[in-house]
Protein backbone atom coordinates (compact mmCIF):
# COMPACT_ATOMS: atom_id res chain seq x y z
CA UNK A 1 0.00 0.00 0.00
CA UNK A 2 2.82 2.42 0.88
CA UNK A 3 4.52 1.70 -2.44
CA UNK A 4 1.27 2.58 -4.24
CA UNK A 5 1.07 5.94 -2.38
CA UNK A 6 4.68 6.73 -3.32
CA UNK A 7 4.09 6.24 -7.05
CA UNK A 8 3.93 9.35 -9.23
CA UNK A 9 0.98 8.00 -11.18
CA UNK A 10 -1.14 7.63 -8.01
CA UNK A 11 -0.22 11.16 -6.89
CA UNK A 12 -1.29 12.59 -10.28
CA UNK A 13 -4.58 10.70 -10.11
CA UNK A 14 -5.26 11.90 -6.55
CA UNK A 15 -4.38 15.49 -7.47
CA UNK A 16 -6.67 15.28 -10.52
CA UNK A 17 -9.56 13.97 -8.43
CA UNK A 18 -9.12 16.77 -5.88
CA UNK A 19 -8.96 19.45 -8.61
CA UNK A 20 -12.05 18.07 -10.39
CA UNK A 21 -13.89 17.95 -7.05
CA UNK A 22 -13.04 21.58 -6.31
CA UNK A 23 -14.10 22.73 -9.79
CA UNK A 24 -17.40 20.82 -9.63
CA UNK A 25 -18.28 22.09 -6.15
CA UNK A 26 -17.41 25.65 -7.19
CA UNK A 27 -19.58 25.30 -10.30
CA UNK A 28 -22.52 23.99 -8.28
CA UNK A 29 -22.18 26.90 -5.85
CA UNK A 30 -22.07 29.38 -8.72
CA UNK A 31 -25.19 27.93 -10.35
CA UNK A 32 -27.07 27.96 -7.04
CA UNK A 33 -26.09 31.55 -6.34
CA UNK A 34 -27.19 32.67 -9.80
CA UNK A 35 -30.54 30.88 -9.52
CA UNK A 36 -31.55 32.58 -6.26
CA UNK A 37 -33.13 36.00 -6.28
CA UNK A 38 -30.74 38.76 -5.32
CA UNK A 39 -31.77 40.37 -2.05
CA UNK A 40 -31.89 44.12 -2.12
CA UNK A 41 -30.99 46.47 0.65
CA UNK A 42 -33.31 49.01 2.26
CA UNK A 43 -34.94 51.68 0.14
CA UNK A 44 -33.02 54.96 0.56
CA UNK A 45 -34.68 57.06 3.24
CA UNK A 46 -36.59 54.10 4.68
CA UNK A 47 -35.25 52.39 7.77
CA UNK A 48 -35.88 48.70 8.14
CA UNK A 49 -36.71 47.25 11.54
CA UNK A 50 -34.24 44.76 12.93
CA UNK A 51 -31.10 46.49 11.71
CA UNK A 52 -29.63 43.63 9.65
CA UNK A 53 -30.21 41.59 6.53
CA UNK A 54 -32.38 38.53 6.45
CA UNK A 55 -30.21 35.67 7.61
CA UNK A 56 -29.87 32.29 6.01
CA UNK A 57 -32.45 29.82 7.18
CA UNK A 58 -34.96 32.60 7.94
CA UNK A 59 -38.47 32.05 6.68
CA UNK A 60 -39.41 33.96 3.51
CA UNK A 61 -42.06 36.68 3.70
CA UNK A 62 -45.58 35.29 3.51
CA UNK A 63 -47.59 35.91 0.36
CA UNK A 64 -50.31 38.56 0.61
CA UNK A 65 -53.89 37.29 0.81
CA UNK A 66 -56.11 37.50 -2.28
CA UNK A 67 -58.38 39.80 -0.28
CA UNK A 68 -55.78 42.56 -0.73
CA UNK A 69 -57.29 43.07 -4.20
CA UNK A 70 -60.67 43.97 -2.72
CA UNK A 71 -63.88 43.08 -4.51
CA UNK A 72 -63.47 41.89 -8.11
CA UNK A 73 -64.92 43.97 -10.96
CA UNK A 74 -68.42 43.12 -12.21
CA UNK A 75 -68.46 39.88 -14.18
CA UNK A 76 -65.21 38.61 -12.67
CA UNK A 77 -64.24 36.68 -9.56
CA UNK A 78 -60.95 35.86 -7.84
CA UNK A 79 -59.82 32.37 -6.87
CA UNK A 80 -56.72 31.41 -4.93
CA UNK A 81 -55.79 28.15 -3.19
CA UNK A 82 -53.01 27.45 -0.70
CA UNK A 83 -51.08 25.57 -3.41
CA UNK A 84 -51.12 28.75 -5.54
CA UNK A 85 -48.21 30.13 -3.48
CA UNK A 86 -44.69 30.09 -4.91
CA UNK A 87 -41.72 30.83 -2.65
CA UNK A 88 -38.05 31.69 -3.10
CA UNK A 89 -35.52 32.35 -0.31
CA UNK A 90 -36.61 35.99 0.11
CA UNK A 91 -40.40 35.95 -0.18
CA UNK A 92 -43.52 34.17 -1.36
CA UNK A 93 -45.99 35.29 -4.02
CA UNK A 94 -49.61 34.25 -4.47
CA UNK A 95 -51.13 33.44 -7.85
CA UNK A 96 -54.75 34.59 -8.09
CA UNK A 97 -56.93 33.26 -10.89
CA UNK A 98 -59.33 35.78 -12.42
CA UNK A 99 -62.39 33.98 -13.73
CA UNK A 100 -65.50 35.14 -15.55
CA UNK A 101 -68.77 34.72 -13.67
CA UNK A 102 -70.78 34.67 -16.90
CA UNK A 103 -69.99 31.60 -19.00
CA UNK A 104 -71.76 33.09 -22.03
CA UNK A 105 -69.50 36.15 -22.15
CA UNK A 106 -66.07 35.67 -23.68
CA UNK A 107 -63.54 37.85 -21.82
CA UNK A 108 -59.93 37.99 -22.99
CA UNK A 109 -57.06 37.96 -20.51
CA UNK A 110 -56.08 41.52 -21.47
CA UNK A 111 -59.65 42.73 -20.88
CA UNK A 112 -59.77 41.00 -17.47
CA UNK A 113 -56.41 42.46 -16.38
CA UNK A 114 -57.42 45.89 -17.71
CA UNK A 115 -60.67 45.72 -15.72
CA UNK A 116 -58.92 44.68 -12.49
CA UNK A 117 -56.21 47.33 -12.92
CA UNK A 118 -58.82 50.04 -13.63
CA UNK A 119 -60.62 49.14 -10.41
CA UNK A 120 -57.35 49.17 -8.44
CA UNK A 121 -56.55 52.64 -9.84
CA UNK A 122 -59.98 53.80 -8.62
CA UNK A 123 -58.99 52.53 -5.15
CA UNK A 124 -55.91 54.83 -5.21
CA UNK A 125 -53.36 52.16 -6.12
CA UNK A 126 -50.24 53.36 -7.90
CA UNK A 127 -48.97 52.16 -11.26
CA UNK A 128 -45.28 51.28 -11.77
CA UNK A 129 -44.19 51.54 -15.39
CA UNK A 130 -41.62 49.31 -17.08
CA UNK A 131 -38.15 50.73 -17.57
CA UNK A 132 -38.03 53.20 -20.45
CA UNK A 133 -41.74 54.09 -20.38
CA UNK A 134 -42.52 57.67 -19.44
CA UNK A 135 -46.33 57.77 -19.55
CA UNK A 136 -48.93 55.12 -18.62
CA UNK A 137 -50.37 55.46 -22.13
CA UNK A 138 -47.00 54.28 -23.56
CA UNK A 139 -47.57 50.65 -22.50
CA UNK A 140 -50.56 48.35 -21.98
CA UNK A 141 -51.65 48.19 -18.35
CA UNK A 142 -50.98 44.43 -18.31
CA UNK A 143 -47.26 45.24 -18.66
CA UNK A 144 -47.26 47.48 -15.59
CA UNK A 145 -47.26 46.68 -11.88
CA UNK A 146 -49.90 47.98 -9.50
CA UNK A 147 -49.08 48.76 -5.86
CA UNK A 148 -50.77 50.18 -2.78
CA UNK A 149 -47.46 50.51 -0.93
CA UNK A 150 -47.78 47.15 0.84
CA UNK A 151 -48.80 44.78 -1.97
CA UNK A 152 -47.69 44.59 -5.60
CA UNK A 153 -49.85 43.06 -8.36
CA UNK A 154 -48.54 41.96 -11.75
CA UNK A 155 -50.09 40.13 -14.69
CA UNK A 156 -48.88 36.52 -14.66
CA UNK A 157 -51.28 35.05 -17.22
CA UNK A 158 -48.47 32.91 -18.68
CA UNK A 159 -48.84 30.66 -15.59
CA UNK A 160 -52.08 29.34 -17.16
CA UNK A 161 -54.58 28.30 -14.54
CA UNK A 162 -57.44 25.91 -15.36
CA UNK A 163 -60.57 27.84 -16.32
CA UNK A 164 -59.02 31.23 -15.53
CA UNK A 165 -59.31 34.15 -17.88
CA UNK A 166 -56.16 35.70 -16.39
CA UNK A 167 -53.71 35.10 -13.55
CA UNK A 168 -52.41 37.83 -11.24
CA UNK A 169 -49.33 37.56 -9.03
CA UNK A 170 -49.46 39.20 -5.60
CA UNK A 171 -46.25 39.95 -3.74
CA UNK A 172 -45.05 42.18 -0.94
CA UNK A 173 -44.06 45.68 -1.98
CA UNK A 174 -41.79 46.12 1.02
CA UNK A 175 -38.29 44.61 1.09
CA UNK A 176 -37.89 41.39 3.11
CA UNK A 177 -37.90 41.94 6.87
CA UNK A 178 -34.59 41.48 8.63
Amino acid sequence: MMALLRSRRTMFILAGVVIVGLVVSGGVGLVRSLSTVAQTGPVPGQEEPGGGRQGEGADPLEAPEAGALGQPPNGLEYSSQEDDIECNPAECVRLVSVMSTDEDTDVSSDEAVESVYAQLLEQDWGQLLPEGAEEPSDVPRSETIMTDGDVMVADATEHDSDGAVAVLMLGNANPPAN
Side-chain angles (χ1 to χ4, degrees):
M1 182 69 151
M2 291 303 282
L4 186 59
L5 288 175
R6 289 183 187 146
S7 105
R8 285 187 134 185
R9 183 175 178 200
T10 303
M11 286 295 125
F12 286 128
I13 291 172
L14 285 175
V17 167
V18 168
I19 290 171
V20 168
L22 290 172
V23 169
V24 168
S25 66
V28 168
L30 178 64
V31 169
R32 283 186 180 170
S33 70
L34 292 176
S35 66
T36 59
V37 175
Q39 295 181 358
T40 60
V43 176
Q46 177 182 355
E47 291 298 318
E48 289 188 87
R53 296 186 59 90
Q54 181 175 351
E56 291 182 31
D59 291 334
L61 288 177
E62 291 185 21
E65 295 294 325
L69 293 171
Q71 293 296 319
N74 290 334
L76 299 175
E77 65 182 16
Y78 301 134
S79 172
S80 179
Q81 308 298 322
E82 285 304 314
D83 60 342
D84 290 337
I85 296 176
E86 296 181 5
C87 293
N88 65 37
E91 71 175 335
C92 295
V93 295
R94 178 181 303 276
L95 297 178
V96 177
S97 299
V98 180
M99 302 195 292
S100 176
T101 57
D102 186 8
E103 296 176 8
D104 298 332
T105 305
D106 189 25
V107 178
S108 74
S109 64
D110 287 339
E111 291 171 335
V113 171
E114 181 77 23
S115 180
V116 171
Y117 277 21
Q119 182 170 334
L120 292 175
L121 283 172
E122 290 173 7
Q123 297 172 7
D124 293 327
W125 283 54
Q127 187 174 15
L128 303 174
L129 302 175
E131 198 170 310
E134 294 180 18
E135 296 291 324
S137 61
D138 292 346
V139 293
R141 282 191 184 158
S142 61
E143 294 179 16
T144 65
I145 296 173
M146 303 298 292
T147 184
D148 68 352
D150 294 324
V151 176
M152 293 176 67
V153 179
D155 180 17
T157 304
E158 68 275 359
H159 277 79
D160 191 36
S161 181
D162 294 333
V165 175
V167 178
L168 299 175
M169 181 173 48
L170 274 67
N172 292 297
N174 298 323
N178 298 330

